[in-house]
Amino acid sequence: MAVQRIMVGYVELTEAESEELFQEVKKDKEVESYDALQALMEDFDSRIIEPETKPLKELLDEEAPTEEANAGTRYIEIFNKLEEDSRYRIKSSKQD
């Protein structure tokens, strides 16, 4: 079965993200194909969760270590927009 790019809300997942979502959903629901996953995702929406970017210097009164710019991991949260249901959080492959 070839990996297909899945669309969730306005976000089109990469093939790697689609595969990760497929594996997560397959554990919860009776989903055996990417077409079934895409049909299920019609009721879901998604949002990007950006890493919190507060410099340590602002959080610590003492001297803070040097930080790497844009450090952190971006995630995509996928949730049912119609009813309370399973939520999925997958690591975004686009870590600009």
Side-chain angles (χ1 to χ4, degrees), residues 49-68:
I49 301 173
E50 296 288 343
E52 202 166 315
T53 55
K54 291 184 181 176
L56 283 177
K57 197 165 197 148
E58 289 180 14
L59 298 173
L60 301 174
D61 291 334
E62 56 205 50
E63 189 174 318
T66 306
E67 292 182 88
E68 187 179 316

Side-chain angles (χ1 to χ4, degrees), residues 9-96:
Y10 293 105
V11 177
E12 182 179 13
L13 304 179
T14 65
E15 286 184 3
E17 293 165 348
S18 296
E19 173 65 19
E20 186 176 347
L21 178 62
F22 180 73
Q23 295 304 322
E24 289 293 318
V25 173
K26 194 167 129 177
K27 294 176 192 174
D28 283 0
K29 314 264 185 211
E30 294 179 17
V31 175
E32 296 298 326
S33 69
Y34 284 92
D35 290 334
L37 176 61
Q38 183 61 67
L40 179 66
M41 290 297 115
E42 298 302 321
D43 291 339
F44 281 70
D45 204 352
S46 62
R47 67 182 177 142
I48 306 295
I49 301 173
E50 296 288 343
E52 202 166 315
T53 55
K54 291 184 181 176
L56 283 177
K57 197 165 197 148
E58 289 180 14
L59 298 173
L60 301 174
D61 291 334
E62 56 205 50
E63 189 174 318
T66 306
E67 292 182 88
E68 187 179 316
N70 293 330
T73 304
R74 181 180 298 143
Y75 290 92
I76 301 171
E77 185 174 46
I78 299 163
F79 55 93
N80 193 316
K81 62 186 173 188
L82 302 176
E83 60 186 59
E84 196 61 37
D85 197 359
S86 300
R87 287 183 176 261
Y88 304 97
R89 184 178 285 193
I90 59 173
K91 186 176 178 182
S92 174
S93 58
K94 297 177 184 172
Q95 299 288 329
D96 300 321

